[in-house]
Amino acid sequence: MTQSVLSVRVRNNAGVLSHVSGLFTRRGYNIDSLSVGVTENPEVSVITLVVSEAPEIVLQIEKQLKKLVDVLDIIDLTGEHSVKREVALVTIYVNKSNRHEVLTLIDVYEAHVIDITDSEVMVELLATPRRISSFIAVFADFGIKEIARTGTISLAYPSSRKGADKA
Amino acid sequence: MSIGPEKTGAQVMIDTLLSHGVEVAWGIPGGALLPFYDDLYNSSLRHILVRHEQGAVHAADAYARVTGKLGVAIGTSGPGATNLITGIANAKMDSIPVLAITGQVATASIGTDAFQEADTYGLTIPITKYNALLKNPDDVARITEEAIRVAMSGRQGPVHIDFPKDVQSGLTRKTTPGELKVPARHIEPVPLVGDLDQLADAINHAHRPVFYVGGGAVMSGASEVLLRIAEKAQIPVVSTLTGLGAFPGTHNLHLGMLGMHGTAYANYAVQECDFILSIGARFDDRVASDTKDFASHAVKAHIDIDPAEANKRVAVDIYVQGDARVVLEQIENSVLRVETREWAKRVAELRDANPLKFTLTGSDIKPQYVIHRIWERTRGEAVVATDVGQHQMWAAQYYPLKNPRHWVTSAGLGTMGFGLPAALGAKIGKPDSEVILFSGDGSFQMNIQELGTARENNIKVKIVLFNNGFLGMVRQWQEMFHGNRLSHSQIHFNPDFTAIAGAYQIPAMAISKPEEVEAAIDFLLNTDDIALLEVRIPAEEKVFPMIPSGKAYTSMMDYEHSGDGSVFSPNQFKEN
């Protein structure tokens, strides 16, 4: 199933997240990630949803979201016309014999080491969701202690903004 | 925004309701509503005290169904609010404009598990179009205005305002709404979007067209234009449960209800048609149980005010977004006149060959016959309220309604206990109409306490209580699909319903023999008061036709006569 990225601009009301997430629960849609944050307008927040559903279901999701009073507009950012970024914090197990190899690989991914002990390295990576998944797959062999990911955030490239507005 | 003298938040809400023409509210006061009810005390807003909050919200719902106006229900915090929940969900499923107002503990106590505190705002999120927790008296006028406008706009539905006690008593100078904060699409008329020429062409090119009419046709007031177009082009009409009344029930082109308990001829027509136009209907599972099978030979078109209904369950070829009445008026002149249509003759044959039918015997009263006779005696003009179950389906089949907004039934949610409070709401909404409630012994006991509300306010509804000692529809499914294992569907003890009515000072009688039926209907209709008629019926009587759940229309089971007695088919179509 292809992933769709929906950027949902909402009125910054208490309860708006319950309305949006509740819609997904009660209609049985699958969310891969959901991130919420403020925008240039303090009265408006943006919820970035990544969903794995068939195109006709994604259309249903957009229509159902538009029925929520606090939803201002929805932009479909699926595809190449938008930037997608995610932050991950990953703690990897290391030992004396493999530490050098681990640090070299971390460098390859342009990730930053946040903290390091004899047995663990904590890394921060800002990248596309795909690159983060690749990073995690590579370090799974060394052993991953824990992961925290923010979920995807996305904006359309200014040069491609025409045609991106669907809502 | 006018800056006038200070008023309480409660007074501002009452004034906003009155400014929208709200005439009646149903409710029960409580601790968290004392300031609100204090301001209601001297208000011109009529308040009807019910016996349980569920009764308030069903009454408000029914009032809205028969009048087209907003229904208003009020309950206190905690249990008062949770008692409203079923009724709010009921209104959501059938798209009925109801405003639920709940008391809430003071803002400083919210979140502390205070006495009679519940997260009512959180509870109503999935069952309302709009909900709000008031935190400041300055917001009362705006939020009340927004709630009412959202409830009444587009695809209508319930809204909820949670009203903390200190916000009710708090003072504000903001007594008018000012600028609303909801996006315009929620409060302005839904724009018409779609290709009307394509729709009219599809109608004109069809050889075997059917109009499939739902609650949206009733809500939009589409009946007159629907009748004109159907007659002009000789197009047969089938109705959903909520669509009943949108088209004259006894019209020669009307085929009654379709779907699970629809008439055989309506379902045959849907199978044979080459074009079907849904007018404010949503292809739900009681109509299009098997979505691939539904009208599988037909070009499908859909008019709906809610674009989220387009292609939700059944993919359609043509979709027009808009109010059903407006869309039909726009295409009326483009629909070509058809003097005679072979297809119309074909469906008349299907109807003659496969009528509704049941067996009359000398020993038992048949509920279908009682409904049929009440239909004849009231000329199809009564407002009919129902509970949920077998009696509901019999009423849908055997009381063909003459007029829209005369049918008050819980369709989408299927709420047993809806009937009695709904009948009261309907009678307050249409005081000059005869209001008949058909109920069953299971449903009736779910809100039987509202007999007190009826008596106290002299709301003269006529109650027909079919008593078979069972949860009849459950029993029917158990007999047909679960090896006749009647697991807990029998009500082994029922009270003496006439004695209960007597305790409420409501005239009542009970009958069990066919020869008593006419005198009993005389009693029911001639009593100038509330009246209750208990009709004891055989437990084995079932609702037919029936398409089993999830099955195709070809799996329809029609009534089969066996044993003693004679088959009876009402002629519901003698007028045309």
Side-chain angles (χ1 to χ4, degrees):
Chain A
M1 194 78 67
T2 51
Q3 284 189 326
S4 297
V5 180
L6 300 177
S7 178
V8 185
R9 291 163 62 86
V10 298
R11 282 202 301 167
N12 202 359
N13 277 354
V16 63
L17 192 57
S18 298
H19 277 94
V20 172
S21 61
L23 174 68
F24 277 71
T25 316
R26 75 175 179 276
R27 298 214 179 250
Y29 306 136
N30 292 307
I31 309 182
D32 292 338
S33 79
L34 179 155
S35 73
V36 194
V38 293
T39 66
E40 73 287 352
N41 178 346
E43 291 186 4
V44 175
S45 292
V46 67
I47 300 176
T48 309
L49 293 163
V50 180
V51 295
S52 293
E53 294 283 4
E56 63 271 18
I57 302 292
V58 175
L59 201 60
Q60 245 320 293
I61 291 171
E62 290 187 35
K63 289 193 282 192
Q64 293 292 349
L65 283 168
K66 282 188 80 173
K67 289 168 72 167
L68 300 179
V69 168
D70 287 325
V71 170
L72 299 171
D73 57 34
I74 303 162
I75 303 170
D76 189 338
L77 293 174
T78 311
E80 297 301 315
H81 64 277
S82 65
V83 184
K84 294 163 194 82
R85 288 292 182 272
E86 185 171 353
V87 173
L89 296 173
V90 184
T91 303
I92 304 156
Y93 288 116
V94 291
N95 53 45
K96 275 187 184 146
S97 63
N98 68 13
R99 189 152 73 181
H100 183 73
E101 188 186 353
V102 166
L103 291 173
T104 307
L105 276 169
I106 288 169
D107 224 30
V108 167
Y109 277 92
E110 296 174 323
H112 297 288
V113 173
I114 304 289
D115 194 14
I116 191 159
T117 70
D118 285 350
S119 58
E120 295 171 17
V121 180
M122 181 194 252
V123 185
E124 157 200 290
L125 176 60
L126 164 66
T128 63
R130 171 184 287 202
R131 192 171 164 85
I132 288 175
S133 295
S134 154
F135 179 90
I136 290 166
V138 163
F139 284 95
D141 287 347
F142 298 95
I144 290 174
K145 186 185 179 194
E146 52 187 354
I147 301 173
R149 298 176 67 160
T150 58
T152 305
I153 56 169
S154 180
L155 280 180
Y157 285 107
S159 55
S160 72
R161 219 180 253 288
K162 273 186 183 168
D165 294 5
K166 289 190 72 172
Chain B
M1 191 171 302
S2 71
I3 303 296
E6 284 193 319
K7 289 182 177 175
T8 64
Q11 188 62 53
V12 172
M13 183 179 283
I14 293 165
D15 290 348
T16 310
L17 295 175
L18 291 170
S19 77
H20 279 273
V22 173
E23 291 164 351
V24 59
W26 310 73
I28 303 182
L33 274 173
L34 285 166
F36 183 88
Y37 271 82
D38 197 52
D39 282 329
L40 202 57
Y41 191 63
N42 288 319
S43 160
S44 62
L45 183 63
R46 181 178 181 191
H47 179 273
I48 296 176
L49 178 73
V50 294
R51 298 296 180 268
H52 184 291
E53 290 84 355
Q54 190 185 351
V57 62
H58 289 328
D61 171 320
Y63 174 88
R65 286 179 203 246
V66 301
T67 63
K69 300 180 193 168
L70 181 74
V72 178
I74 306 168
T76 193
S77 65
T82 55
N83 282 345
L84 291 172
I85 294 291
T86 301
I88 299 171
N90 188 79
K92 182 70 162 59
M93 285 291 264
D94 289 350
S95 306
I96 306 300
V98 170
L99 168 61
I101 300 165
T102 52
Q104 182 55 279
V105 301
T107 48
S109 301
I110 289 176
T112 65
D113 301 321
F115 177 65
Q116 290 192 330
E117 184 186 358
D119 175 14
T120 315
Y121 173 86
L123 286 167
T124 62
I125 284 175
I127 53 170
T128 52
K129 285 187 75 182
Y130 172 105
N131 69 343
L133 168 61
L134 283 167
K135 290 183 176 164
N136 188 324
D138 291 348
D139 296 331
V140 172
R142 174 179 60 83
I143 281 180
T144 307
E145 178 79 15
E146 288 179 352
I148 294 171
R149 296 273 300 274
V150 170
M152 298 299 291
S153 301
R155 178 179 184 169
Q156 298 183 328
V159 294
H160 164 236
I161 301 175
D162 205 16
F163 204 176
K165 193 172 184 179
D166 57 320
V167 184
Q168 297 167 36
S169 57
L171 294 171
T172 178
R173 291 187 189 279
K174 292 189 178 175
T175 58
T176 57
E179 191 182 342
L180 304 188
K181 290 192 178 174
V182 291
R185 67 179 189 275
H186 295 292
I187 51 176
E188 285 176 0
V190 174
L192 197 159
V193 180
D195 188 337
L196 295 181
D197 292 336
Q198 186 194 14
L199 177 59
D201 280 353
I203 295 171
N204 291 334
H205 282 104
H207 297 290
R208 300 186 303 281
V210 164
F211 284 168
Y212 150 49
V213 174
V218 176
M219 305 292 281
S220 73
S223 293
E224 289 175 19
V225 63
L226 172 66
L227 179 61
R228 290 198 301 270
I229 295 177
E231 287 185 337
K232 182 182 183 184
Q234 290 296 299
I235 297 174
V237 175
V238 298
S239 295
T240 69
L241 183 59
T242 49
L244 292 170
F247 196 79
T250 57
H251 195 286
N252 197 40
L253 286 167
H254 193 239
L255 303 179
M257 186 166 70
L258 81 165
M260 180 176 279
H261 288 300
T263 65
Y265 42 96
N267 289 338
Y268 288 137
V270 169
Q271 282 176 269
E272 291 185 17
C273 72
D274 68 354
F275 172 83
I276 189 163
L277 172 60
S278 164
I279 302 168
R282 58 185 177 89
F283 299 89
D284 87 321
D285 61 290
R286 301 286 122 157
V287 164
S289 188
D290 178 339
T291 53
K292 289 191 176 61
D293 162 75
F294 182 73
S296 53
H297 306 298
V299 171
K300 298 182 187 73
H302 190 183
I303 301 168
D304 206 291
I305 201 163
D306 179 1
E309 288 301 340
N311 302 308
K312 189 180 79 175
R313 289 194 79 244
V314 171
V316 296
D317 304 287
I318 302 165
Y319 169 67
V320 176
Q321 169 191 306
D323 177 88
R325 179 179 58 78
V326 173
V327 174
L328 291 178
E329 284 173 354
Q330 296 272 326
I331 64 168
E332 182 178 2
N333 289 334
S334 308
V335 174
L336 299 176
R337 182 169 298 283
V338 175
E339 293 300 338
T340 57
R341 194 189 277 278
E342 281 304 312
W343 169 239
K345 291 178 193 161
R346 167 69 183 158
V347 298
E349 287 167 15
L350 287 170
R351 185 170 65 207
D352 293 343
N354 306 281
L356 289 168
K357 49 188 177 287
F358 56 92
T359 299
L360 282 178
T361 71
S363 53
D364 292 320
I365 301 178
K366 291 305 177 73
Q368 305 94 320
Y369 181 75
V370 174
I371 296 167
H372 172 67
R373 285 294 298 140
I374 291 173
W375 169 69
E376 289 187 320
R377 294 284 300 274
T378 55
R379 302 168 302 284
E381 293 170 354
V383 172
V384 178
T386 79
D387 260 300
V388 169
Q390 289 179 310
H391 69 271
Q392 178 189 30
M393 293 297 107
W394 286 318
Q397 293 174 334
Y398 290 93
Y399 198 106
L401 298 151
K402 192 173 277 183
N403 301 302
R405 295 202 180 275
H406 280 59
W407 176 239
V408 182
T409 200
S410 168
L413 198 67
T415 310
M416 291 174 69
F418 174 77
L420 178 57
L424 305 184
K427 184 69 177 175
I428 293 295
K430 276 192 167 38
D432 297 330
S433 294
E434 187 83 85
V435 174
I436 312 272
L437 166 65
F438 293 110
S439 186
D441 54 316
S443 288
F444 194 63
Q445 293 181 79
M446 291 200 186
N447 270 319
I448 195 168
Q449 76 286 345
E450 299 308 330
L451 289 172
T453 308
R455 179 72 286 163
E456 178 175 316
N457 296 281
N458 291 320
I459 307 173
K460 297 178 182 177
V461 298
K462 304 301 171 74
I463 303 162
V464 180
L465 175 56
F466 290 115
N467 182 355
N468 61 4
F470 273 90
L471 302 166
M473 191 60 95
V474 174
R475 188 200 178 286
Q476 174 167 343
W477 284 52
Q478 288 173 334
E479 180 185 325
M480 295 174 69
F481 309 117
H482 294 271
N484 203 33
R485 289 182 297 280
L486 305 182
S487 180
H488 304 282
S489 56
Q490 184 167 10
I491 301 172
H492 290 284
F493 174 81
N494 263 330
D496 177 342
F497 288 107
T498 60
I500 297 248
Y504 281 101
Q505 300 171 22
I506 291 171
M509 70 182 286
I511 58 172
S512 56
K513 297 189 184 71
E515 59 268 26
E516 297 172 311
V517 168
E518 288 308 317
I521 294 175
D522 286 340
F523 156 77
L524 187 77
L525 299 178
N526 296 339
T527 301
D528 181 22
D529 196 355
I530 313 160
L532 183 146
L533 172 62
E534 178 191 349
V535 183
R536 297 188 187 127
I537 59 168
E540 298 75 20
E541 195 66 21
K542 286 182 278 298
V543 181
F544 283 110
M546 180 173 192
I547 302 171
S549 186
K551 294 290 177 62
Y553 274 40
T554 47
S555 305
M556 182 172 67
M557 296 179 278
D558 204 350
Y559 175 80
E560 283 179 24
H561 172 68
S562 63
D564 298 336
S566 58
V567 173
F568 182 87
S569 281
N571 182 2
Q572 300 176 332
F573 303 94
K574 55 197 168 189
E575 289 183 15
N576 288 280

